[in-house]
Amino acid sequence: MNTSTTALSFQYWEGWPSITQTSDMISSPTSQLSRRNGAKNHHLPMGGNSIAFVKTKESRKWCLESTIVFGDGAVQWCSVEFTNVQNKRTIYLYPPSGVYTKQSSSSSATISSSSSLPNTIYLTCPTPTLQQQSPPKKTRHNEQLFRENKNIQFLIRHPATVLLLLLNLGLAFHYWNHRINPSVVCKQYSKIVDQHEWWRGITGATAHFEPLHIGFNMMSLHTLGKELEGQYFGSINFLLYNVALVVMTTVVMMGMVYGRIWWYQRQNNNNNSSSGSYDSKIVQLRETSSVGYSGVLFAWMVISTLERKEPTCPIPFLNDVCFSTYSVRQFKFNVAPVVSLFVAQFIMPRVSFMGHLAGIICGFGLHWGWPPIELGSPNVLIGGVFLVGNLVWRRGVVPVVPLTPPDENDHDDDNQLLSLLLESGQDGIDGILMSMPSSSADVENGNSSLALGSTTADPFARSREKKKEREMAEMRRKHKTVESIRNLIGLVTLLSFLFFDWMSSIVLSQCLLLAYFIFGTRSSFIVWACTQAKVENDMIMPEKQRCGMIWRGYVMSCVLAVVVDGMSMAGWILMQTFISSEKTKLLFGLVPTLLFMLLRIAINLLGLVIASKILHDLGQVSYISGGIFVRVFSRVLAWSKAIGDGVFLSQRPLWTAFEGRGIRLGGGELLARISRSRSS
């Protein structure tokens, strides 16, 4: 479809879109939400175009609607009316080609803002426009075949809603069948924040343990999904936004709990005489558990309410108590979801007030345009929250070594190595690398520049020195391997800015993987160096745990990135012609982009192999007592470890049974006699 429009572009080139951007391109912006988040037309300040078939009792016609956000209205150009089509079995394939005339609008703001727009436009569309279906033979068998099955149509038209229903129902059956205690998977502040079990944000939202609980939630999900998926979002974006809302509601809920705990602690500090008055409330907030999908459903209820034109009546059996939606500039607000929250709390006191309130807050934020769909994509949002929580919330500045430098008067070689590490962070790491053996030949010849001990004639001392040199060389080789892969990931990250849109989830997820690998590399080398320096295990255990958290985040983010990248590639192949017509300034064609994407996936998977190998070496993976992370990624971890053993395989063993000049311990005369008797 070609339209005569004037476009103003501020980019020298355009990149291939992500799967969410492709979904926005083929979805009609029929609501304020989709127009704000998916505006693609540069000739409008903020808005979008949609074309739809308008059918009334008086007429049938196609209309092109352009949204003028600054006028809070829309301008329509409509085709001529279809007056000669009376058959109900007529299918309207495409809008007709020809002249479309601008329709008058009752809004003065819209008229003033659209005065500069043309009165007529010409559209060129594919033909034929109409298609007549031949009526089936009137037999009883054919009538049953052609009878529309509403359940099958729901499965076809709302696949994301069906998938979410099956997921929640399947998990509920799994928990019931295995008699899993709710405390194992629930959302709990002490578990999520204090013990860093962040996966509970996902398992808690999809867990149900009572028939009434899952029954009400799934009926609400069916109703809201049927309304929102097909009309406002599309299946792909609706599914991805559900995942985003699971994470967002958990973050907001934990933030509200943290705020209440902070306030109670402040009250305790101000009232010293009754310092224990709020302790029980603080403990209750930390230990309160919640499960269920209702937080996400409250967010969707907010969006459904704001998109509804008629007033909303949230109180059962009181149909006269209704609330209308009010607009302030581009932001809409309706008090009905808040009233529903208090009604639900009154009817069922056990429901989580803060969990539902978090859903309402996220629902308003999503309708007001935050987060954008690219930031809300699972491969960006989940990994980003995990990284920020691990680096900022848990440990602070990276890297933080939970150790203290040794005494300056201590001349032990291992303590000197540790002191060099702790003196200046990254400079200490570079100093260790400079002091390591430069090659395996130096190790064999004993020419290492690291003064690990004075030369001695004692063969056992020389054996210990050479063993230590080989250990240092092995650590240097592992660090070089990890740094090489880090540089490859950095290279494909830079190239991604040439192939894809800069703010797309494809680029953002790759930047996230690079950040994980940079921090993981530094933390891993700190652990290796401290282990080499014979630091006590209790002292380096916090850094080991933190290093494991970083690499776990990389594994999770890499798997999500590969899945979303594969979906984007499928979208490019299926919609190549459409994308090329929408983005006329693509720097690379489809084939080079696909080849680069395959190369990027291969490099990211190589980083996954390294991450899995490091996790196993640090003892952060237990297949017997492992948590949800090991259960979900067990096959990925096992396969990648098998490959990682080959990548990190030592060239020489770090311990040899005999080295140096041998010493006879006894029995020399007897051995000499046996030797002479055999020679004779």
Side-chain angles (χ1 to χ4, degrees):
M1 185 184 302
N2 300 324
T3 59
S4 57
T5 58
T6 304
L8 180 62
S9 176
F10 295 96
Q11 296 181 350
Y12 292 101
W13 69 83
E14 295 177 328
W16 286 84
S18 64
I19 183 62
T20 52
Q21 291 175 328
T22 303
S23 178
D24 279 341
M25 291 168 62
I26 62 177
S27 299
S28 298
T30 57
S31 68
Q32 175 197 5
L33 175 70
S34 55
R35 284 198 298 263
R36 285 175 54 82
N37 294 344
K40 302 178 287 297
N41 299 277
H42 301 290
H43 66 286
L44 296 177
M46 282 184 63
N49 293 339
S50 63
I51 189 166
F53 183 73
V54 180
K55 181 179 178 181
T56 61
K57 294 182 179 180
E58 294 78 14
S59 63
R60 300 179 181 180
K61 58 186 176 181
W62 285 88
C63 290
L64 173 66
E65 179 178 318
S66 291
T67 306
I68 310 298
V69 176
F70 52 76
D72 197 17
V75 179
Q76 287 186 343
W77 291 268
C78 295
S79 65
V80 295
E81 299 180 359
F82 291 90
T83 57
N84 57 347
V85 179
Q86 301 295 334
N87 190 355
K88 295 183 179 180
R89 302 190 62 84
T90 301
I91 298 178
Y92 298 89
L93 298 177
Y94 305 104
S97 301
V99 178
Y100 283 58
T101 306
K102 184 169 67 173
Q103 304 296 307
S104 60
S105 175
S106 59
S107 173
S108 59
T110 305
I111 295 176
S112 60
S113 61
S114 63
S115 58
S116 59
L117 298 177
N119 293 324
T120 59
I121 60 175
Y122 186 84
L123 298 184
T124 303
C125 302
T127 55
T129 302
L130 306 178
Q131 178 179 346
Q132 299 288 341
Q133 282 187 338
S134 57
K137 296 181 180 180
K138 293 184 177 180
T139 64
R140 183 177 181 180
H141 178 68
N142 284 342
E143 288 180 1
Q144 294 178 353
L145 289 178
F146 283 95
R147 186 179 301 168
E148 184 177 4
N149 191 315
K150 295 183 179 180
N151 295 328
I152 295 178
Q153 293 299 321
F154 179 80
L155 294 176
I156 296 174
R157 297 173 181 174
H158 306 88
T161 303
V162 173
L163 180 61
L164 293 171
L165 288 170
L166 293 177
L167 175 65
N168 284 274
L169 291 172
L171 288 175
F173 176 77
H174 175 77
Y175 296 149
W176 171 82
N177 190 39
H178 291 79
R179 303 299 188 269
I180 294 178
N181 194 300
S183 62
V184 178
V185 295
C186 67
K187 295 181 184 179
Q188 191 174 358
Y189 182 87
S190 61
K191 298 289 186 180
I192 295 178
V193 178
D194 298 337
Q195 301 182 22
H196 317 294
E197 296 180 1
W198 298 321
W199 47 266
R200 288 178 176 268
I202 299 177
T203 59
T206 54
H208 301 82
F209 294 92
E210 297 179 0
L212 288 178
H213 189 197
I214 190 171
F216 281 123
N217 280 358
M218 294 304 100
M219 286 190 295
S220 301
L221 177 59
H222 175 274
T223 303
L224 293 170
K226 187 177 181 180
E227 175 187 356
L228 297 175
E229 179 180 351
Q231 186 175 1
Y232 298 112
F233 290 93
S235 298
I236 295 176
N237 288 0
F238 183 74
L239 177 62
L240 297 182
Y241 265 132
N242 269 274
V243 180
L245 284 173
V246 168
V247 180
M248 292 167 55
T249 52
T250 302
V251 173
V252 174
M253 179 181 176
M254 293 299 106
M256 289 191 294
V257 175
Y258 173 80
R260 291 188 64 184
I261 292 176
W262 174 83
W263 187 83
Y264 285 144
Q265 290 176 343
R266 186 177 179 182
Q267 294 299 315
N268 280 341
N269 296 333
N270 294 336
N271 303 324
N272 295 327
S273 59
S274 58
S275 59
S277 59
Y278 293 101
D279 289 344
S280 60
K281 294 183 179 180
I282 293 176
V283 173
Q284 182 181 1
L285 285 172
R286 289 183 178 274
E287 302 300 328
T288 300
S289 303
S290 63
V291 294
Y293 206 69
S294 52
V296 178
L297 296 177
F298 263 82
W300 289 129
M301 184 180 64
V302 170
I303 295 175
S304 174
T305 301
L306 296 181
E307 291 294 330
R308 200 173 298 158
K309 296 181 180 179
E310 62 275 4
T312 303
C313 308
I315 304 178
F317 308 111
L318 295 178
N319 297 330
D320 295 334
V321 182
C322 302
F323 302 92
S324 301
T325 300
Y326 300 94
S327 298
V328 178
R329 294 182 179 271
Q330 302 305 321
F331 303 102
K332 292 183 178 181
F333 181 79
N334 194 315
V335 76
V338 181
V339 176
S340 299
L341 171 63
F342 286 98
V343 171
Q345 193 72 27
F346 176 77
I347 297 175
M348 297 174 288
R350 288 181 56 195
V351 300
S352 174
F353 179 82
M354 285 190 290
H356 292 172
L357 181 59
I360 292 176
I361 294 173
C362 294
F364 279 111
L366 182 60
H367 193 275
W368 294 342
W370 192 92
I373 184 61
E374 297 305 302
L375 291 179
S377 184
N379 57 330
V380 178
L381 182 63
I382 296 179
V385 171
F386 196 87
L387 181 65
V388 172
N390 187 50
L391 300 185
V392 178
W393 184 279
R394 183 169 188 255
R395 294 295 303 162
V397 182
V398 179
V400 177
V401 185
L403 303 170
T404 56
D407 188 4
E408 296 180 357
N409 298 324
D410 191 350
H411 299 287
D412 184 74
D413 300 322
D414 294 331
N415 286 338
Q416 290 180 6
L417 179 67
L418 177 60
S419 178
L420 180 61
L421 170 67
L422 299 178
E423 281 179 357
S424 55
Q426 184 63 40
D427 295 334
I429 294 177
D430 296 337
I432 292 178
L433 290 175
M434 293 296 295
S435 62
M436 287 182 181
S438 58
S439 66
S440 59
D442 293 336
V443 174
E444 296 294 336
N445 299 328
N447 297 328
S448 172
S449 60
L450 183 61
L452 295 175
S454 59
T455 305
T456 177
D458 187 359
F460 293 101
R462 290 201 305 270
S463 178
R464 288 195 299 268
E465 291 177 4
K466 290 187 177 182
K467 176 185 175 182
K468 186 172 296 186
E469 290 171 355
R470 285 196 301 271
E471 290 175 349
M472 298 293 290
E474 177 66 17
M475 185 169 62
R476 180 190 181 97
R477 189 179 72 86
K478 290 197 297 185
H479 189 266
K480 281 188 175 182
T481 303
V482 175
E483 276 194 332
S484 300
I485 298 176
R486 181 199 63 188
N487 295 337
L488 286 176
I489 295 177
L491 178 61
V492 296
T493 302
L494 293 177
L495 293 177
S496 297
F497 287 93
L498 299 178
F499 283 87
F500 314 117
D501 285 345
W502 289 16
M503 292 304 296
S504 67
S505 61
I506 303 179
V507 175
L508 296 177
S509 64
Q510 188 62 33
C511 295
L512 192 64
L513 292 178
L514 178 61
Y516 268 117
F517 218 90
I518 291 174
F519 295 134
T521 301
R522 299 182 66 186
S523 183
S524 299
F525 190 74
I526 290 173
V527 175
W528 292 339
C530 293
T531 304
Q532 174 66 25
K534 303 294 189 297
V535 178
E536 295 181 4
N537 191 49
D538 294 340
M539 298 179 65
I540 64 173
M541 184 54 66
E543 188 64 29
K544 275 188 177 181
Q545 293 177 352
R546 182 170 168 275
C547 181
M549 294 294 292
I550 295 176
W551 288 117
R552 285 194 194 98
Y554 179 87
V555 172
M556 177 182 60
S557 300
C558 182
V559 172
L560 291 174
V562 170
V563 172
V564 176
D565 289 351
M567 296 172 62
S568 300
M569 294 172 63
W572 301 338
I573 296 174
L574 295 176
M575 306 295 296
Q576 176 185 2
T577 304
F578 180 77
I579 294 174
S580 301
S581 62
E582 287 286 324
K583 294 180 173 290
T584 58
K585 295 183 180 181
L586 292 173
L587 193 61
F588 299 97
L590 177 62
V591 175
T593 306
L594 290 177
L595 293 177
F596 171 74
M597 180 62 81
L598 292 175
L599 175 63
R600 198 180 84 160
I601 292 176
I603 293 176
N604 290 336
L605 291 178
L606 185 59
L608 177 63
V609 169
I610 299 300
S612 176
K613 175 62 178 175
I614 295 176
L615 284 173
H616 283 84
D617 291 346
L618 294 177
Q620 297 293 315
V621 177
S622 175
Y623 294 98
I624 299 177
S625 60
I628 189 67
F629 175 79
V630 177
R631 292 190 178 186
V632 173
F633 299 105
S634 58
R635 292 188 178 273
V636 175
L637 293 171
W639 293 343
S640 55
K641 178 184 179 297
I643 302 175
D645 289 337
V647 176
F648 271 168
L649 187 63
S650 300
Q651 297 178 355
R652 285 197 56 187
L654 298 182
W655 179 84
T656 55
F658 299 99
E659 187 167 1
R661 183 178 180 180
I663 300 176
R664 181 176 296 178
L665 299 179
E669 278 301 320
L670 178 60
L671 293 175
R673 289 180 182 180
I674 294 174
S675 178
R676 286 195 298 269
S677 64
R678 287 182 177 179
S679 61
S680 62

